[in-house]
Amino acid sequence: MVESLDQLFVNLKHWALGFLPEALQPLVSAVLSIVPLVAVFGGLFAIVTIFERKGLGRIQNRYGPNRVGIPFTDIRLAGFGQFIPDGIKALIKEDVVPRAADKVVHFLAPVVLLIPVLLTYAVLPIGRNMTVVDFDAGVLFFFSVGAAVEISVFMAGWSSRNKYSLLGAMRGIAQMISYEIPLILSAVTVIMLVGSLKTSDIVAAQAGFTAGLPNWFVLTPWGFAGFVMFLIAALAESNRAPFDLPEAESELIAGYFTEYSGFKFALFFLGEYLGMFAIIGLGITLFLGGWHAPFPFLTWVPSYVWFMTKLLAIVFFFIWVRGTLPRLRMDQLMSFAWKFMIPMALINLVVAAVWHFMAGTGAARWVVCALLIAGPYVLLGRGLMENKHLGKRTYRFAD
Amino acid sequence: MSAVAGANPRNFELLPKGDANGGELLEISMGPHHPSTHGVFRMDVVLDGEKVVKLKPVFGYLHRNHEKIAEGTSYLASMPYTDRLDYFCSMTNNWAYALSVEKLAGLTVPERAEYIRVIMAELTRVLNHICLIGFFVQDMGALGTPLMYAFRERERILDLFEELTGARMMCNYLRFGGVRCDVSESWLKRAGEEVVKLESFMDEFEQLVAQNEIVMARTQGIGVLPRELAINASITGPMLRASGVNYDVRKVDKYGIYDRFEFKIPLGEHGDLYDRYMIRVLEMRESVKILKQALRDIPDGPIMDSKAKLRGFRPKPGEAYGRIESPKGELGFYLISDGSPNPYRYRVRPPSFINLTILEDMCLGQRVADAVIILGSVDIVLGEVDR
């Protein structure tokens, strides 16, 4: 029973394929994998936008959308139907293209954003045996396809012929390229330890429990440091606050999609959220044990439920950060990436290697690895803050 | 469509044919409709990458001919119009105007009315600073959370105003020689409760913002206004005090009954954004102290000078300048009377306008993201800048 629930969708697909002639099976199999994936994550996007607006509303001492249900009916869903009118609005809105814009590139930019983002889902193991393409260079594929997003940002910024768009695109590209390095370097530690780029192998390496705790990489010193860096870089990669400089509202109106309206804007929005889910999904795969359950007594819950739960938990964390922190400045953002994140990621590589070679030494390798991370962290942090003189101040009072 | 020569929209050329900057610099027109220029304000910014090389403030989009209109109408008729100058602080605008007319006509203000004026002015100061620090953190990109917290408190103060004067923002409450209507016991009690709540809000807000690493990194050492420049440019208000100059009209002139209250003037040292922010926070705490004393000591009595008359008000020929410490700085009204029911000359000294003059000096060499929060820290209201 538990087994069949876990493999429900896999079995369903194989059962449906059985009715088809042999020649058609590869094609239909691909369609049967892609369509549910796009539908599920598209639906997740719709729900998360409401989730985000409600969550931000609560953080900001207001309600957020709490009325809309299904349009033209009396069904009220406490605001969770909001995405339907939002979508209708985006579809029927006038699509304004600036007269001086490069119309072809302007049109292509949101499409170019969406396609690579959707491609990255191919290698994500969403559940047990539920990877669309489980091939040997999975993580490499994810990063190389994901890097194509920068082209879209540049296309949007350049073709709009708007100075705000251009500035936003400049910032966006600089930021994405800078943060891709710590992102990949922190992922490399996992690949080093597992010895495979295949995502299902990485998940399999984190199976099982030790002393009631899961064997997730996040519960090791190098894995924890790697996961924190991965999350920070993922925030920057998906242009979320406090790294939302490419679309900094108070300076650049809306950054590189200032000149987009109607459905093209909605596509940018969709692409950005799907990109965020994909990168969180990879983070879960690399550090949080993929679809594995966190406790031994919970292993009966289907694997895809665990994946989605972890995904939503991190999305909630992102919303929380967005509702709390102000934005960094561009030069601070870049110096944080190059002076802090990248050195720490390189040190973390060494720590992961030390962890590997000290296998079997018990507590000693925990102490050594923790010190190897904490020492540079403190030194680097002190060194960077030394000549900045930031801190609380005391004020004098005159009568 | 228009038949102007060369106005064919199909043929227009966007690409500059070699601009004045040799193509190296980027000139951006920020405003008049931009999310964070605080109204219809425009900054003509020339950028080298992200760095500001030139900044020209452009305003006048909200010019309403305030001074000339006031010269064409009676003294009292201008009172509601002063509400619209700095529409966040109608009470202090009223007070500055009433003060100069009272000087002109030689009116005195009864004790109780003076206390009410102080209560109103200090509530207005808290209200203005609350909005300012909310918008300031919003400009830094904090997506409205601090702003919403700030506006929750603002609503409570506005409710107090509404209960007393009937209006939330355009209060039109002060009259020459007193105030329009008396405060009730229950209102004073409620005001006392709200003042206590303000204190806990300030503690909460300080925890949320003042010690945030990102806020400190964004504001400390940015947009420095040197002491000498601040004095030479006749900057007033919290901007001046953040640069370390001890000048507060409440202490210098002791207008009204400010000599009776125990309060201090917080002074900054660096003159940067963080100081300007913190001075306002500390000033709010001092205002709360004044409010507590005023609400405790307020006496009974009349609220209008018996000599004051609303109809047929004709001050003797002469001139007067009344100034107060408005939340944004020194707000003054200069009036010349020729004995007629209308002022012969009516001139406003708007603090936001004069504080805005050094915007370029503070922004040069900073990033474009800083220019936005530097503008926010000047605390302008376009109703007062353009008049």
Side-chain angles (χ1 to χ4, degrees):
Chain A
M1 177 61 204
V2 169
E3 188 65 23
S4 64
L5 199 64
D6 191 28
Q7 295 299 302
L8 178 66
F9 299 111
V10 182
N11 294 339
L12 211 61
K13 180 180 149 188
H14 286 301
W15 173 76
L17 282 180
F19 292 100
L20 290 165
E22 191 98 6
L24 272 177
Q25 276 189 5
L27 187 69
V28 178
S29 164
V31 171
L32 282 183
S33 302
I34 292 165
V35 170
L37 195 75
V38 173
V40 163
F41 280 93
L44 191 69
F45 158 73
I47 297 299
V48 163
T49 52
I50 310 300
F51 192 47
E52 170 151 29
R53 288 172 67 178
K54 275 178 169 288
L56 277 180
R58 290 293 169 174
I59 291 171
Q60 294 174 359
N61 188 32
R62 57 189 175 85
Y63 287 112
N66 66 346
R67 288 285 186 278
V68 184
I70 297 167
F72 311 117
T73 64
D74 284 336
I75 303 165
R76 297 282 170 267
L77 299 172
F80 277 99
Q82 184 74 45
F83 67 90
I84 305 170
D86 279 358
I88 295 171
K89 188 194 95 175
L91 272 172
I92 61 177
K93 245 183 135 172
E94 186 190 356
D95 181 24
V96 183
V97 181
R99 201 181 289 137
D102 187 333
K103 292 188 183 55
V104 179
V105 184
H106 188 266
F107 175 79
L108 281 178
V111 182
V112 171
L113 174 71
L114 204 55
I115 289 173
V117 163
L118 286 175
L119 278 178
T120 53
Y121 282 92
V123 294
L124 285 185
I126 294 158
R128 189 177 282 126
N129 303 330
M130 283 168 80
T131 315
V132 179
V133 194
D134 194 15
F135 72 112
D136 287 340
V139 180
L140 189 65
F141 174 82
F142 186 98
F143 285 124
S144 45
V145 171
V149 169
E150 275 113 80
I151 298 173
S152 149
V153 171
F154 184 64
M155 283 165 71
W158 183 255
S159 67
S160 299
R161 288 277 172 86
N162 178 317
K163 288 168 183 173
Y164 292 114
S165 303
L166 189 64
L167 267 179
M170 266 161 56
R171 284 180 173 190
I173 294 163
Q175 170 180 333
M176 285 178 176
I177 290 176
S178 306
Y179 275 88
E180 213 142 78
I181 301 168
L183 188 79
I184 295 174
L185 282 179
S186 56
V188 164
T189 53
V190 175
I191 296 161
M192 274 164 57
L193 272 267
V194 177
S196 168
L197 281 162
K198 202 173 179 175
T199 45
S200 59
D201 284 355
I202 292 169
V203 175
Q206 301 177 69
F209 299 90
T210 318
L213 284 173
N215 290 336
W216 299 354
F217 290 138
V218 72
L219 298 174
T220 58
W222 60 269
F224 181 73
F227 179 63
V228 171
M229 277 186 284
F230 191 92
L231 263 195
I232 293 172
L235 270 173
E237 275 291 294
S238 48
N239 295 336
R240 303 267 312 176
F243 304 118
D244 56 344
L245 288 114
E247 53 211 67
E249 194 220 347
S250 53
E251 303 129 47
L252 302 181
I253 324 282
Y256 53 84
F257 49 77
T258 303
E259 293 290 1
Y260 282 87
S261 53
F263 202 64
K264 286 186 207 155
F265 177 80
L267 279 184
F268 264 111
F269 204 54
L270 176 70
E272 210 150 80
Y273 271 82
L274 289 184
M276 180 175 84
F277 298 152
I279 216 155
I280 293 173
L282 186 71
I284 293 168
T285 307
L286 290 174
F287 297 101
L288 290 181
W291 40 260
H292 284 299
F295 298 108
F297 59 88
L298 286 173
T299 43
W300 56 271
V301 180
S303 53
Y304 43 87
V305 174
W306 280 121
F307 184 85
M308 285 296 168
T309 311
K310 290 172 190 176
L311 186 73
L312 283 175
I314 297 182
V315 166
F316 174 72
F317 173 74
F318 277 23
I319 293 169
W320 187 11
V321 168
R322 185 172 176 216
T324 312
L325 292 178
R327 189 185 298 130
L328 282 163
R329 209 171 55 210
M330 196 60 207
D331 54 324
Q332 292 166 342
L333 185 84
M334 298 301 272
S335 66
F336 183 66
W338 290 97
K339 292 181 186 164
F340 187 80
M341 294 276 284
I342 292 176
M344 275 311 289
L346 288 170
I347 289 164
N348 201 31
L349 278 182
V350 178
V351 176
V354 171
W355 180 266
H356 178 68
F357 286 113
M358 284 178 81
T361 50
R365 74 171 177 171
W366 277 87
V367 174
V368 170
C369 286
L371 283 179
L372 273 177
I373 289 168
Y377 171 77
V378 171
L379 289 177
L380 213 57
R382 286 258 175 93
L384 284 177
M385 294 303 283
E386 190 160 25
N387 46 12
K388 284 193 181 159
H389 309 297
L390 300 181
K392 268 186 85 175
R393 291 177 183 170
T394 50
Y395 290 87
R396 65 202 166 92
F397 289 84
D399 276 318
Chain B
M1 302 307 276
S2 70
V4 184
N8 182 359
R10 300 271 162 218
N11 291 340
F12 90 112
E13 194 80 8
L14 191 95
L15 286 172
K17 297 216 170 75
D19 54 10
N21 307 316
E24 292 290 318
L25 303 175
L26 184 68
E27 188 176 352
I28 295 189
S29 170
M30 288 178 96
H33 38 219
H34 185 279
S36 55
T37 48
H38 298 262
V40 280
F41 178 69
R42 186 157 82 90
M43 290 192 287
D44 216 341
V45 196
V46 179
L47 297 178
D48 180 6
E50 290 248 338
K51 205 175 268 180
V52 178
V53 243
K54 216 173 115 191
L55 186 145
K56 197 172 84 181
V58 184
F59 36 78
Y61 297 99
L62 207 62
H63 183 62
R64 316 185 288 291
N65 223 347
H66 177 82
E67 291 175 4
K68 193 65 195 167
I69 288 174
E71 283 163 20
T73 169
S74 71
Y75 283 92
L76 185 62
S78 296
M79 182 61 90
Y81 208 28
T82 57
D83 290 339
R84 276 84 176 162
L85 277 177
D86 172 357
Y87 39 77
F88 277 114
C89 332
S90 57
M91 296 284 192
T92 48
N93 296 343
N94 286 174
W95 196 359
Y97 181 52
L99 196 71
S100 55
V101 175
E102 279 152 13
K103 270 191 183 173
L104 195 64
L107 296 171
T108 55
V109 183
E111 189 101 322
R112 186 173 172 84
E114 289 279 26
Y115 270 95
I116 298 173
R117 284 183 177 190
V118 168
I119 292 168
M120 288 307 172
E122 294 307 319
L123 277 177
T124 306
R125 194 181 314 282
V126 175
L127 177 107
N128 180 72
H129 288 353
I130 279 177
C131 288
L132 176 95
I133 59 178
F135 279 123
F136 183 65
V137 189
Q138 164 97 344
D139 282 347
M140 264 186 264
L143 201 101
T145 306
L147 185 68
M148 290 289 169
Y149 281 32
F151 266 52
R152 178 186 62 200
E153 306 306 310
R154 176 176 182 257
E155 282 303 302
R156 289 218 285 262
I157 299 178
L158 288 181
D159 285 346
L160 281 178
F161 284 178
E162 190 182 14
E163 187 178 330
L164 182 60
T165 70
R168 292 165 73 79
M169 286 174 82
M170 306 299 146
C171 297
N172 181 22
Y173 181 57
L174 270 63
R175 288 289 176 271
F176 312 134
V179 293
R180 180 153 57 88
C181 49
D182 202 355
V183 296
S184 65
E185 274 306 311
S186 65
W187 190 90
L188 287 175
K189 196 163 155 271
R190 219 182 115 198
E193 287 163 8
E194 298 297 352
V195 166
V196 175
K197 281 186 203 160
L198 281 175
E199 274 190 321
S200 66
F201 159 73
M202 284 168 204
D203 293 336
E204 179 193 55
F205 205 82
E206 205 157 317
Q207 276 184 350
L208 180 68
V209 176
Q211 290 162 36
N212 185 311
E213 289 270 334
I214 299 180
V215 170
M216 287 201 269
R218 285 295 302 273
T219 55
Q220 295 194 347
I222 306 293
V224 177
L225 174 62
R227 192 187 149 94
E228 287 72 33
L229 179 64
I231 295 170
N232 289 344
S234 81
I235 307 302
T236 48
M239 288 264 290
L240 179 69
R241 294 193 283 276
S243 295
V245 184
N246 180 12
Y247 180 81
D248 188 320
V249 184
R250 287 178 295 176
K251 289 284 188 191
V252 175
D253 271 13
K254 294 191 173 19
Y255 61 93
I257 48 164
Y258 270 113
D259 48 348
R260 296 186 196 177
F261 299 111
E262 185 110 356
F263 68 103
K264 287 184 171 141
I265 306 298
L267 294 175
E269 221 166 278
H270 308 267
D272 57 6
L273 288 171
Y274 190 77
D275 272 3
R276 261 172 252 153
Y277 167 79
M278 281 306 289
I279 291 299
R280 271 148 183 147
V281 173
L282 296 171
E283 238 172 53
M284 280 198 286
R285 290 189 186 273
E286 296 300 318
S287 288
V288 168
K289 273 189 211 164
I290 300 177
L291 277 169
K292 279 184 173 165
Q293 294 169 44
L295 287 167
R296 185 191 64 206
D297 297 340
I298 183 166
D300 284 331
I303 53 160
M304 278 294 271
D305 186 359
S306 52
K307 282 188 294 172
K309 47 182 181 177
L310 295 178
R311 287 165 200 281
F313 181 71
R314 286 162 186 269
K316 283 194 229 35
E319 57 182 330
Y321 178 67
R323 59 175 192 171
I324 66 158
E325 180 73 22
S326 97
K328 295 182 167 62
E330 179 188 324
L331 174 65
F333 281 80
Y334 176 61
L335 299 169
I336 301 180
S337 165
D338 57 357
S340 67
N342 306 344
Y344 172 75
R345 179 76 177 98
Y346 171 105
R347 160 88 185 139
V348 188
R349 185 215 185 270
S352 347
F353 174 63
I354 292 167
N355 289 355
L356 196 56
T357 51
I358 36 83
L359 184 65
E360 185 177 11
D361 301 84
M362 291 193 289
C363 288
L364 285 187
Q366 310 285 3
R367 313 292 160 138
V368 61
D370 293 331
V372 168
I373 51 175
I374 290 171
L375 175 68
S377 78
V378 176
D379 191 7
I380 56 164
V381 162
L382 265 294
E384 192 177 68
V385 173
D386 291 342
R387 298 191 303 295

